[in-house]
Amino acid sequence: MSHNASFLSKPENALRRAQELIAIHQPYPALGLLHECLSSRRHKTWSTTYEKIILTYLDLCLEFNRSREAKDGLHQYRNLSQSQAPGSLEAVIRHLIEKAEAKCRAAKEAAEKGEVDPVSSNGEGGDAANAASTGTGETAGDDDDDGEDGDFYGSGTPNSILLSTMSTDPEKVQRETSLLLPALKFLWEVYRAVLDILKSNSKLERLYHGVAASALRFCGEYKRRVEFRRLCDMMRMHLGNLTKYGGVGMTRFEETGKPNNKVRGWEGWTAEAIELHLQTRFVQLETASSLRLYTEGFRTVEDIFNILQISRARRKLPGVNAPPPKAKIMAAYYEKLTNLFWVSENYLFHAFAWYKYYSLCKEYNRSMSAETRSMQASAVLLAALCIPTSHADIVKNSKTGSKRAVNMSGSDRLAIQSTAEDDIAKEKMARMATLLGFHTREPSREAILSEIWARNIMDDVPQYLRE
């Protein structure tokens, strides 16, 4: 029989005993007692006492950076409360995330001031404190680490230790390692656990997307490139499961009145669900641009296209009156694309993104001032003029052409290879044009310039640019 069995007969007794242990500076026995109470099969009915227990439990986990225990406690409380008290589950999750984010900010300020954290060597934080760098620089983020928890665990390598000693301020690196890294690791684990818990819960869908947006901004603020990739993969898997097992047809109901889906807790796609997914992917796209992870940005474009396809399929269902995504939302999407394509030096699609953004703004923002309209029209024109001409590409290719002509067989092989590469490039451009909803599958400089003239965009361009 467990040593704590006498306290598990009533949750109130367990909570009182845990508070007594905390008062005499025995946090780990208190943590174990509360965990046994949460995982006990004796009680299956939720009560406010359980909410007090999980809050006390999570505060202890946060204090000593026990991310594994926090994750397990959240799962146990989810099983207990999600059907009986979903509001309590939401309050607990918000409490944990707000306190974990506040701890990260405090740790960052302490590291900058040169303070020492007495708890940094306790619990899981002590393991993380042995790492040599926070991974906030360019080098750590660009490594594809296959470890379970990204470079939070893999930054204690000889290379990272050597790089930390070469820093202009090695003492600051050590402070960040002992203070900031454990807090970052705990917060990252909390984000992952919460997203996994809420991935198919329609009642807490807004909370899921709020946490996802916070996690994406966390990756951008602390330059966590490896974690950003893994977060995108996780959210992509969640979206794929909802599409596959709780797809568009799930808006139709069986005779029993229950949704015909295979995902527990998911009540089907709604206009609000689609809008929330789009808004989250917009934050993801913005973060990919700020971290200069262009491949991940283009994969996000594909995710957005899939979500728009779900919206389009819903509108075709009989008896479903679902409006298309608002023009204002799509305008925000293309505005973010202009930045992604500019920093990735894809000037062709940068110009088309500006064109779509300008067209949507004119559609939904009827009160747009003449000055704003003129600025956007000028941006469309200048973006189109930034696209390299085909003649310049021919000249560039001709510089290497003379070198290839040395031997005919080699030249023939290179010509075939070049043709194949051109076909692949055209196919990629056509696919990207489809994903972005452009009016042509063969985008070109000439195509967008002709659109500018045909749509009378030049009327909004200042006179000095027309000339």
Side-chain angles (χ1 to χ4, degrees):
M1 183 179 289
S2 171
H3 175 69
N4 296 318
S6 59
F7 298 105
L8 299 180
S9 58
K10 288 187 177 181
E12 293 83 359
N13 295 340
L15 178 59
R16 185 167 58 252
R17 177 57 180 162
Q19 291 171 343
E20 291 171 357
L21 289 170
I22 294 170
I24 60 174
H25 307 291
Q26 294 291 323
Y28 294 111
L31 196 64
L33 174 61
L34 294 175
H35 184 270
E36 282 192 49
C37 183
L38 288 169
S39 57
S40 173
R41 296 183 179 273
R42 188 184 301 250
H43 304 287
K44 287 294 183 181
T45 304
W46 177 89
S47 66
T48 54
T49 304
Y50 278 106
E51 182 173 329
K52 296 175 183 177
I53 287 174
I54 188 63
L55 290 175
T56 305
Y57 177 84
L58 292 175
D59 286 343
L60 287 173
C61 292
L62 177 63
E63 183 179 357
F64 297 100
N65 297 312
R66 310 288 288 199
S67 57
R68 226 170 261 155
E69 286 83 349
K71 178 180 178 181
D72 189 45
L74 281 174
H75 277 277
Q76 297 292 346
Y77 193 70
R78 185 272 307 270
N79 296 336
L80 179 67
S81 65
Q82 74 171 352
S83 60
Q84 302 176 50
S88 174
L89 178 60
E90 178 177 2
V92 166
I93 289 173
R94 289 189 185 279
H95 169 85
L96 176 61
I97 288 179
E98 287 172 5
K99 295 197 74 171
E101 290 175 342
K103 185 177 180 180
C104 263
R105 291 191 294 269
K108 185 177 180 180
E109 292 175 3
E112 291 174 352
K113 294 177 181 177
E115 298 175 3
V116 179
D117 184 7
V119 190
S120 62
S121 59
N122 292 337
E124 290 187 4
D127 297 332
N130 293 326
S133 169
T134 61
T136 54
E138 297 282 336
T139 306
D142 291 335
D143 293 334
D144 283 321
D145 180 35
D146 292 331
E148 183 182 353
D149 296 292
D151 59 345
F152 282 120
Y153 294 85
S155 55
T157 60
N159 285 341
S160 61
I161 293 173
L162 180 61
L163 287 172
S164 69
T165 60
M166 295 170 62
S167 170
T168 55
D169 190 356
E171 290 185 2
K172 181 182 178 183
V173 173
Q174 292 177 0
R175 290 196 302 270
E176 289 178 344
T177 299
S178 62
L179 296 174
L180 184 58
L181 186 58
L184 290 178
K185 176 191 163 187
F186 183 88
L187 181 56
W188 164 246
E189 291 293 344
V190 167
Y191 282 141
R192 290 207 316 175
V194 169
L195 290 175
D196 184 58
I197 287 171
L198 301 176
K199 60 188 175 185
S200 60
N201 193 324
S202 291
K203 293 179 181 177
L204 299 179
E205 194 169 20
R206 283 187 173 275
L207 179 60
Y208 171 88
H209 290 286
V211 172
S214 297
L216 291 166
R217 295 189 184 99
F218 161 84
C219 294
E221 181 180 355
Y222 294 101
K223 308 299 180 192
R224 310 305 305 192
R225 289 173 172 78
V226 174
E227 286 74 25
F228 176 74
R229 292 190 188 98
R230 299 198 174 174
L231 179 61
C232 292
D233 289 341
M234 179 195 298
M235 293 167 57
R236 197 166 290 122
M237 181 181 67
H238 294 170
L239 177 62
N241 288 338
L242 291 179
T243 305
K244 183 177 180 180
Y245 299 111
V248 180
M250 299 307 116
T251 52
R252 291 175 290 186
F253 290 83
E254 294 179 326
E255 295 178 359
T256 58
K258 296 181 180 179
N260 180 21
N261 63 48
K262 300 178 182 179
V263 182
R264 181 183 177 187
W266 177 249
E267 298 176 357
W269 288 97
T270 62
E272 182 185 15
I274 290 172
E275 184 173 333
L276 288 171
H277 274 276
L278 287 174
Q279 295 286 7
T280 302
R281 265 60 189 190
F282 295 165
V283 178
Q284 184 175 326
L285 193 65
E286 189 175 358
T287 307
S289 299
S290 67
L291 293 176
R292 296 185 177 273
L293 294 175
Y294 308 130
T295 302
E296 203 58 58
F298 295 136
R299 293 180 72 189
T300 304
V301 169
E302 192 159 353
D303 294 339
I304 293 172
F305 175 77
N306 292 334
I307 296 169
L308 293 174
Q309 289 296 98
I310 293 171
S311 175
R312 190 173 292 112
R314 283 189 73 247
R315 295 198 297 274
K316 294 180 181 179
L317 290 175
V320 176
N321 184 17
K326 298 175 183 177
K328 184 176 181 179
I329 293 176
M330 298 307 298
Y333 169 46
Y334 286 107
E335 183 182 18
K336 295 183 188 305
L337 281 180
T338 59
N339 183 45
L340 174 67
F341 288 131
W342 178 257
V343 296
S344 61
E345 299 181 0
N346 191 328
Y347 301 118
L348 176 62
F349 287 113
H350 170 254
F352 272 88
W354 261 113
Y355 168 73
K356 292 287 289 187
Y357 175 60
Y358 168 80
S359 302
L360 287 166
C361 283
K362 283 190 70 175
E363 177 184 338
Y364 85 87
N365 191 3
R366 301 289 184 180
S367 60
M368 185 167 56
S369 65
E371 182 181 358
T372 303
R373 190 165 58 249
S374 175
M375 185 276 293
Q376 292 183 1
S378 302
V380 174
L381 176 61
L382 293 175
L385 295 176
C386 285
I387 303 172
T389 61
S390 56
H391 176 70
D393 295 335
I394 294 172
V395 172
K396 181 179 179 181
N397 293 333
S398 66
K399 291 180 181 179
T400 56
S402 58
K403 297 179 182 178
R404 295 174 181 172
V406 175
N407 99 29
M408 283 299 289
S409 59
S411 176
D412 291 342
R413 284 197 302 270
L414 288 170
I416 294 172
Q417 181 181 355
S418 176
T419 304
E421 289 176 353
D422 289 344
D423 292 341
I424 293 172
K426 287 181 180 179
E427 185 178 344
K428 286 183 177 179
M429 287 181 64
R431 174 164 175 73
M432 182 60 72
T434 302
L435 292 177
L436 297 173
F438 293 151
H439 60 279
T440 175
R441 282 181 54 83
E442 296 182 0
S444 64
R445 189 175 194 266
E446 292 72 21
I448 191 169
L449 286 173
S450 64
E451 280 291 315
I452 290 173
W453 284 104
R455 301 283 182 178
N456 298 322
I457 296 177
M458 292 297 291
D459 293 346
D460 294 329
V461 176
Q463 182 63 35
Y464 65 89
L465 281 180
R466 294 184 210 172
E467 297 172 355

